Amino acid sequence: MTRLLCTATALALITPALHAAEIRVLNWQGYGTDQDFATEAFEEVTGHTVVHEYFNSEQETLTKLRTNPGAYDVVLINSSFTPQVVDEGLLAPIDTSKLENFADLDPAFVNNDGLNEDGVIYGVPWTWGLTSIAVSNADFDTPPTSLEVLWSPEWEGRVSIRDDAVEAVQIGALATGQSINDVQDLEAVRAKLAALMPSIDTYWGSENDWNQFMASGEFAAATYWSGSASRSMGKGLDITFVVPEEGAIGWLDGLSIPAASEKKDAAYQFIDWMIDPEFYAEWDKDGAPATANIAAASALPDDSFNKAVLGDPAVVAKVQFMQPMSDETRETYLKLWQDLKAAQ
Amino acid sequence: MAEAGHLARTDRLRAAGLLAPAYLWLTVAVFLPLSAMAFFSIITDVPFGDTEWRVTAENYAAFLESPTYARLLWKSVLLGVKVTALCVLIGFPCAWVLAKMIRGRSREALFLLVILPFWSNSLVRIFSWAIVLRGNGVLDKAVNAVWPWNVEVNLLFSEWAIVIGLVHSYLPYVILTAYLALQAIDDSLIEAARSLGAKWWTILWRVVLPLSSSGLIAGAVLVFVPVVGSFMEPRILGGRMGTYYGTVIEDQFVAVFNWPLGAALSFILLAVVLAILAVSAPVLRKART
């Protein structure tokens, strides 16, 4: 009897570890982790089920992580935001030995300032891409070469930028020839953006918004993300992604594990699958951002968007990668953007 | 004497017992959330996890430091006035027709049509308006189909679009409240006025309006208060022009995670709306008598 009880207790203790877990992933909607083929393959191999929850801004991620500890097991965080989340103690350090594909990741991304703190890595570099502009081929016979197209009177009322203070200021910085990570002349940026405002049709918020506005002919030229552009083109939207001579904003997204997650092993398995070249090859067919995995990138067909556009050294040379930003700077930008919006 | 005291006490107990659910509901549904927001509005950071916070007045000071908030609040109040005025101008005649000119089954059918918008989700209604109002949209195509010259109708992303969307959303409140007030007016009063030689505008001004003003005012307040704080309609229909006081508050909660500032701005809005209602109360009361 005692032995039976012991065995039962032991079983009860072990089972949760062996038992298939339900992991909760927090990400943008339609951003890789929730691809049907990906979750199905993962669920088949590991037995874990994947449940998604979505956010619409980086700040919302932070809100969700703060207010629902333990609710998420894998979360996508932009590397310029990771330090803030780490400082609040919301993320667990990554044990890279648990990731079989980690060795294939680009060392430049692995050593990214945003993902590392005090020599400990908190985010697994997953995807990267550019924030630049995309134009509708119906309106442009030849794609523009300069960011100035947004300010061109010809397209007044048919341009858009995202409703995001940091992105707006950085676009302004590019247009005024400044470094996006060290804006010296903020007044020039303000004046430049103020001149842009009357031309803006509406701000866009999400990829879905953008696609709808572009498809209905509302937009002729608008800021856009490279990964989204490749996805939109994959869906048949007739647009061209342009990296103008002024340059583009580079960003890096990492996958992290919240400190409060109770299913960390399953989370590691999921992240390992997400950085697997096999997963990326499949995702790229639907339109994916560029991968941080060197093996996956070199395996792409030559005509793929990510190899043709983002693999071009001339393009990469123009990119300014976003670096972590202090709260004060963020607030200054937010204030500037709010004032500009309110003045309309 | 003792008997009377006993009776009064049981009465009081019974009253307390009967009122308890209502007070409990008010506490849970109104008082607690409002207190939480009041608390948020006087602290420096939202106390989740390990964040440090202290009591401060700087969230309220922020409103005064930047002219942006006051300007947006004024813009929102103006929007409220415009939408309320349009709702009353359109809703009152509708209610009059419903109450006095139509009888029987057709009134029921019309009532159904008035209430019908309430059955659909407000977000769906607003997106439908976006489809109708945009350039090359439903309205544009309809106008061009009947109009011999080519005109471009693109109302989306303008203040007009916001006003149209809001009036459509809130019109039923005015129609319903005005209808109830108008229906209570005895027809013989109007007949008496007419038999004494009063013209229709005199009847409207001296008899109908004073007697129905309570319903009209209730409807106007029901429209004005939510419209001043509205954020979804301006955001979707207003585009670049859609930054209002309500959208700034929404941004504080969902986009930039500054709940304390968002809460403080909400309370300032509450105070301003109450002040407007208090100032206009004597005028409105005078209109009723």
Side-chain angles (χ1 to χ4, degrees), chain B:
Chain B
M1 194 66 200
E3 185 84 335
H6 178 71
L7 249 180
R9 205 168 62 231
T10 42
D11 274 357
R12 231 176 296 142
L13 272 176
R14 195 178 298 148
L18 286 171
L19 285 172
Y23 280 112
L24 190 72
W25 174 250
L26 276 179
T27 311
V28 173
V30 180
F31 184 71
L32 286 182
L34 267 183
S35 330
M37 278 298 132
F39 170 67
F40 281 141
S41 76
I42 54 161
I43 57 177
T44 48
D45 203 349
V46 182
F48 291 133
D50 299 330
T51 49
E52 280 180 25
W53 57 274
R54 57 193 161 73
V55 172
T56 177
E58 64 193 34
N59 299 313
Y60 288 93
F63 179 87
L64 300 172
E65 275 163 17
S66 160
T68 305
Y69 299 120
R71 197 167 57 208
L72 285 176
L73 183 54
W74 176 238
K75 193 176 162 193
S76 286
V77 169
L78 279 184
L79 179 73
V81 170
K82 284 179 204 169
V83 171
T84 310
L86 274 174
C87 279
V88 168
L89 282 178
I90 301 170
F92 188 76
C94 289
W96 175 260
V97 170
L98 268 176
K100 297 291 176 205
M101 298 170 83
I102 291 175
R103 307 259 177 245
R105 289 194 72 92
S106 48
R107 180 194 279 177
E108 281 169 30
L110 277 175
F111 245 118
L112 197 69
L113 288 178
V114 169
I115 301 170
L116 209 55
F118 277 154
W119 293 1
S120 63
N121 181 291
S122 56
L123 204 58
V124 174
R125 287 204 299 266
I126 295 305
F127 272 113
S128 313
W129 273 114
I131 294 169
V132 171
L133 297 174
R134 74 163 38 124
N136 204 19
V138 176
L139 186 66
D140 192 14
K141 290 205 169 112
V143 168
N144 278 309
V146 291
W147 195 252
W149 296 279
N150 193 30
V151 283
E152 203 174 292
V153 185
N154 184 2
L155 288 173
L156 192 60
F157 306 139
S158 66
E159 197 191 350
W160 273 111
I162 304 171
V163 170
I164 291 172
L166 284 169
V167 167
H168 177 240
S169 292
Y170 289 103
L171 188 59
Y173 289 109
V174 175
I175 296 184
L176 293 178
T177 53
Y179 169 81
L180 290 176
L182 286 172
Q183 218 201 10
I185 299 177
D186 195 338
D187 281 346
S188 53
L189 283 175
I190 298 164
E191 281 158 19
R194 204 174 281 145
S195 71
L196 290 173
K199 294 282 187 288
W200 68 268
W201 58 85
T202 316
I203 299 175
L204 178 71
W205 193 246
R206 300 284 299 274
V207 180
V208 176
L209 269 183
L211 284 173
S212 62
S213 63
S214 58
L216 213 48
I217 288 165
V221 170
L222 278 178
V223 174
F224 180 76
V225 174
V227 166
V228 173
S230 65
F231 57 90
M232 181 196 52
E233 294 86 353
R235 191 178 287 285
I236 296 171
L237 297 173
R240 177 172 66 88
M241 314 304 288
T243 303
Y244 281 83
Y245 196 73
T247 60
V248 167
I249 294 178
E250 187 206 5
D251 276 343
Q252 303 308 319
F253 282 96
V254 305
V256 299
F257 198 72
N258 195 343
W259 285 22
L261 180 60
L265 292 177
S266 305
F267 272 98
I268 291 168
L269 173 65
L270 184 65
V272 169
V273 167
L274 286 179
I276 292 173
L277 294 182
V279 167
S280 49
V283 183
L284 296 176
R285 207 174 302 131
K286 208 174 157 197
R288 216 186 304 175
T289 49

Side-chain angles (χ1 to χ4, degrees), chain A residues 304-324:
Chain A
S304 96
F305 176 84
N306 284 312
K307 207 164 187 175
V309 179
L310 303 188
D312 181 355
V315 164
V316 177
K318 287 192 279 187
V319 175
Q320 299 189 33
F321 270 90
M322 249 199 294
Q323 278 157 22

Side-chain angles (χ1 to χ4, degrees), chain A residues 252-266:
Chain A
L252 172 65
D253 280 340
L255 293 171
S256 300
I257 302 179
S261 161
E262 285 162 1
K263 296 152 192 160
K264 291 200 174 69
D265 284 325

